[in-house]
Amino acid sequence: MPRKKPFSVKQKKKQLQDKRERKRGLQDGLRSSSNSRSGSRERREEQTDTSDGESVTHHIRRLNQQPSQGLGPRGYDPNRYRLHFERDSREEVEKRKRAAREQVLQPVSAEVLELDIREVYQPGSVLDFPRRPPWSYEMSKEQLMSQEERSFQEYLGKIHGAYTSEKLSYFEHNLETWRQLWRVLEMSDIVLLITDIRHPVVNFPPALYEYVTGELGLALVLVLNKVDLAPPALVVAWKHYFHQHYPQLHIVLFTSFPRDPRTPQDPSSVLKKSRRRGRGWTRALGPEQLLRACEAITVGKVDLSSWREKIARDVAGATWGNGSGEEEEEEDGPAVLVEQQTDSAMEPTSPTREHYKDGVVTIGCVGFPNVGKSSLINGLVGRKVVSVSRTPGHTRYFQTYFLTPSVKLCDCPGLIFPSLLPRQLQVLAGIYPIAQIQEPYTAVGYLASRIPVQALLHLRHPEAEDPSAEHPWCAWDICEAWAEKRGYKTAKAARNDVYRAANSLLRLAVDGRLSLCFHPPGYNEQKGTWESHPETTELVVLQGRVGPSGDEEEEEEEELSSSCEEEGEEDRDADEEGEGDEDTPTSAPGSCLAARNPYALLGEDEC
């Protein structure tokens, strides 16, 4: 009798996983495997996907996997609009891990924080975005899709042929998501490009500006969002920078959660999330500025009086401490008509060039993930009508909302344009799902070399016997010290869970509780001028007038979101880490508009 072949527990586990997947009917045996000690999941490269661009499949990592039981009754695939990024090689990941352990962090000068848009996007180069190829009504749907796929492959080939993977940033490789952008641009009369004020150059692709204002002939409104997370002088400096370099822009300052600079910040609020009771959305800063910009663009061709009346009603009826609660807040006000456009980007409908059709102005909201597009729509409406999340890729297809009978808003999924940005900066900007990062340590090092994380969080070096002694820090040391301080331990060996600690630090940065702001060129030389600029004073006064002015707010102690130690829970964290939380303001030390150092609010006992 032949000897039995050894069959390990790991092989048996894989056998059971494959059996379960066959029962679920997943396409081509989609299989989950754990590549990192935190349980981060990698997908099989040969997996079938409904998106195009399959010739570069072996280079692509698909994120935000959703459970699927096969195609629905209308052929809808929940994974159709997943984020598709270039895959980091295993050698590159291991190289960065070694650097995180060995490279001593040195603080950089203030000039390094100055970002020039010409160095990021190199206008005139192949760092463009895919355009919809020309078509005619004689073409069938299959011919149109095939032509778009070929054009998209040529676009990817040019970029990857001109730049190596080490120089390129993460950018979207999913044609389905680009189709959503095409449709939004085709149906829009005015385009809003939303950016994060902490790093607006990262979110402003010049190729989109040239295409919208040049080829399409549309007005482009640049929305500098989240102005409560940056000093007023920096906000004004960025505004003038874009006015100088892009004169056709209409610039609007916006935040969905303005804060009163006169209200003292509680040091213990750093690790808390505050939820305000009442109609917080109606206190958004910027809707009136946006209305004035749209009135200047439409020049009387559309009646926007209903929008102005709505803003007046919201301002008059907004109260912070009415105790009505979130449920009553959801039910207040007139109904908002919501149209989901799941398959419209696939239909061969010609781009309409009839502006302001039927007396309605269509405003398209485009931008990178996590810049606050959905929150901006909620702020304009005055209550939550759009689901929001800190997880990039949460908005999977564009939807339209009637703000008033004559104003229609269109929310586009977030899109990452190709650039030469460091990938660590993209992670800190919230573009990459933190729970699915293979190697987060270099991003922590990038953050710690620009703001003194170890001093702000009062971290003790893991190898230091004397806390007062100076020791060189590396990114790994910071993660290990934060894991020790927060009590993050691995499940089996009870070692410091540095991966979970790194994710926790990155989420603090994305949320704005550790605020890293970049500056326009020459800002540090002219900082005094910007601080004394009249617009800076106006912004501080406006922020104080719109803010809560000391009204009641309810704070809830909440554990910092971080990925779990156990295998199999990483995808759940990726979906749930910010689900429904971004619609509530978070207490951020960097959000105070006072002139003092916001990090001085961090106390020894509160961290």
Side-chain angles (χ1 to χ4, degrees):
M1 183 176 178
R3 189 174 180 180
K4 290 184 178 181
K5 185 178 180 180
F7 197 72
S8 66
V9 176
K10 187 176 294 185
Q11 289 174 310
K12 181 64 176 178
K13 182 178 179 181
K14 178 181 176 301
Q15 184 187 62
L16 294 176
Q17 287 176 342
D18 293 340
K19 184 179 179 180
R20 283 195 297 268
E21 287 158 4
R22 285 195 301 270
K23 286 184 177 181
R24 292 172 185 158
L26 296 181
Q27 302 176 6
D28 291 356
L30 177 63
R31 180 173 59 88
S32 299
S33 62
S34 178
N35 274 354
S36 69
R37 57 184 296 278
S38 70
S40 120
R41 293 184 176 179
E42 283 289 341
R43 309 298 172 189
R44 238 183 22 196
E45 297 169 350
E46 57 269 21
Q47 164 193 354
T48 301
D49 200 283
T50 56
S51 65
D52 301 301
E54 292 299 329
S55 64
V56 293
T57 301
H58 61 287
H59 296 300
I60 302 305
R61 185 183 182 202
R62 298 173 175 87
L63 306 177
N64 293 348
Q65 167 72 11
Q66 301 296 317
S68 174
Q69 299 293 337
L71 297 181
R74 298 185 180 179
Y76 173 71
D77 183 2
N79 294 308
R80 177 172 163 185
Y81 304 108
R82 294 170 62 189
L83 294 174
H84 287 196
F85 291 153
E86 186 177 8
R87 182 188 300 274
D88 294 324
S89 65
R90 183 171 299 179
E91 293 76 14
E92 180 65 22
V93 172
E94 294 299 327
K95 179 182 176 181
R96 294 203 299 262
K97 285 184 180 179
R98 289 194 298 270
R101 287 176 174 270
E102 300 170 359
Q103 186 174 355
V104 177
L105 298 177
Q106 299 293 340
V108 300
S109 62
E111 287 72 19
V112 177
L113 294 178
E114 297 181 355
L115 279 182
D116 190 349
I117 198 168
R118 292 170 293 184
E119 299 175 359
V120 174
Y121 285 100
Q122 294 188 348
S125 64
V126 296
L127 297 177
D128 204 337
F129 72 96
R131 316 292 174 83
R132 191 171 196 174
W135 58 274
S136 65
Y137 279 108
E138 287 73 22
M139 300 174 62
S140 65
K141 182 177 179 179
E142 290 73 19
Q143 290 174 331
L144 177 61
M145 293 179 62
S146 177
Q147 177 175 299
E148 291 175 351
E149 181 181 350
R150 288 194 301 270
S151 175
F152 187 66
Q153 289 297 321
E154 294 175 0
Y155 159 79
L156 292 178
K158 289 180 181 178
I159 294 179
H160 289 289
Y163 298 95
T164 62
S165 299
E166 290 74 16
K167 290 185 177 180
L168 277 175
S169 65
Y170 293 116
F171 69 96
E172 185 60 74
H173 286 67
N174 189 352
L175 177 56
E176 292 290 348
T177 313
W178 289 109
R179 283 179 172 136
Q180 302 289 301
L181 174 66
W182 297 343
R183 190 67 185 106
V184 169
L185 294 179
E186 288 172 358
M187 68 186 298
S188 297
D189 301 314
I190 300 173
V191 179
L192 300 188
L193 178 57
I194 297 100
T195 62
D196 191 326
I197 189 59
R198 293 174 292 178
H199 34 69
V201 165
V202 175
N203 311 130
F204 186 89
L208 183 63
Y209 167 81
E210 298 292 342
Y211 179 71
V212 171
T213 59
E215 295 186 33
L216 297 182
L218 300 177
L220 183 63
V221 178
L222 175 63
V223 179
L224 299 177
N225 199 16
K226 305 181 183 181
V227 295
D228 57 312
L229 296 181
L234 181 59
V235 174
V236 175
W238 275 121
K239 178 181 176 181
H240 283 264
Y241 172 82
F242 283 103
H243 264 312
Q244 178 183 356
H245 289 81
Y246 303 96
Q248 298 184 52
L249 282 177
H250 301 262
I251 300 181
V252 172
L253 308 181
F254 199 95
T255 177
S256 297
F257 309 108
R259 292 177 174 85
D260 189 354
R262 297 168 298 178
T263 304
Q265 298 262 343
D266 183 7
S268 62
S269 65
V270 175
L271 301 184
K272 292 180 180 178
K273 294 182 180 180
S274 61
R275 299 178 181 271
R276 291 192 179 98
R277 294 296 181 180
R279 302 178 59 185
W281 290 110
T282 59
R283 304 306 298 261
L285 168 64
E288 190 171 352
Q289 292 186 33
L290 182 58
L291 171 60
R292 289 198 297 266
C294 292
E295 288 177 337
I297 294 170
T298 57
V299 291
K301 297 178 181 178
V302 179
D303 183 12
L304 299 179
S305 60
S306 59
W307 189 0
R308 182 169 294 279
E309 293 171 0
K310 182 187 184 307
I311 293 177
R313 289 195 307 269
D314 290 342
V315 172
T319 56
W320 280 98
N322 59 6
S324 58
E326 295 179 355
E327 294 181 1
E328 183 178 342
E329 171 189 347
E330 296 287 339
E331 299 173 359
D332 287 343
V336 177
L337 178 60
V338 180
E339 300 175 352
Q340 295 186 357
Q341 311 286 349
T342 55
D343 290 329
S344 296
M346 303 277 298
E347 298 297 333
T349 54
S350 63
T352 174
R353 286 293 171 254
E354 181 183 352
H355 295 308
Y356 317 123
K357 185 177 181 181
D358 300 327
V360 176
V361 58
T362 302
I363 303 175
C365 302
V366 301
F368 280 58
N370 256 331
V371 295
K373 296 182 296 298
S374 299
S375 295
L376 180 139
I377 290 180
N378 289 335
L380 293 177
V381 173
R383 65 184 188 277
K384 182 177 178 181
V385 295
V386 188
S387 176
V388 292
S389 173
R390 288 190 299 270
T391 304
H394 179 72
T395 303
R396 295 183 178 85
Y397 46 81
F398 76 90
Q399 303 179 64
T400 57
Y401 312 86
F402 276 90
L403 180 63
T404 69
S406 61
V407 180
K408 182 167 66 172
L409 305 175
C410 186
D411 186 17
C412 180
L415 277 159
I416 300 96
F417 290 70
S419 67
L420 301 180
L421 280 170
R423 295 187 176 184
Q424 293 82 2
L425 175 54
Q426 287 189 301
V427 171
L428 294 171
I431 293 174
Y432 200 101
I434 292 177
Q436 302 185 47
I437 299 175
Q438 295 174 281
E439 186 278 309
Y441 314 109
T442 51
V444 172
Y446 188 93
L447 175 68
S449 61
R450 284 151 180 82
I451 60 174
V453 174
Q454 58 271 35
L456 300 175
L457 299 179
H458 304 280
L459 300 180
R460 178 177 177 177
H461 198 283
E463 298 179 0
E465 297 181 359
D466 183 8
S468 60
E470 292 291 336
H471 294 273
W473 290 83
C474 63
W476 189 274
D477 293 335
I478 293 176
C479 298
E480 190 168 1
W482 183 243
E484 180 68 27
K485 194 176 189 67
R486 296 293 296 170
Y488 297 151
K489 302 294 181 180
T490 58
K492 295 182 179 179
R495 299 189 183 95
N496 288 328
D497 194 342
V498 291
Y499 186 92
R500 182 181 179 186
N503 283 4
S504 174
L505 292 170
L506 293 181
R507 289 198 179 94
L508 284 175
V510 171
D511 291 348
R513 289 184 260 186
L514 286 176
S515 185
L516 173 61
C517 296
F518 288 86
H519 310 151
Y523 174 77
N524 294 283
E525 297 178 356
Q526 305 174 356
K527 187 175 181 180
T529 304
W530 292 118
E531 289 178 346
S532 59
H533 198 279
E535 293 186 26
T536 303
T537 306
E538 293 177 6
L539 180 59
V540 174
V541 173
L542 182 62
Q543 186 83 353
R545 178 174 63 83
V546 180
S549 302
D551 286 332
E552 292 183 2
E553 66 179 25
E554 177 179 330
E555 289 187 346
E556 300 177 358
E557 183 71 33
E558 189 164 337
E559 176 71 20
L560 294 175
S561 55
S562 56
S563 58
C564 295
E565 307 121 6
E566 301 178 4
E567 296 183 3
E569 295 192 12
E570 175 271 341
D571 280 344
R572 177 178 60 81
D573 285 350
D575 295 334
E576 296 178 0
E577 61 178 342
E579 193 81 19
D581 283 342
E582 194 171 304
D583 60 327
T584 55
T586 57
S587 298
S591 63
C592 184
L593 292 178
R596 63 181 182 275
N597 178 11
Y599 300 108
L601 298 169
L602 288 166
E604 173 69 33
D605 299 332
E606 287 78 20
C607 297

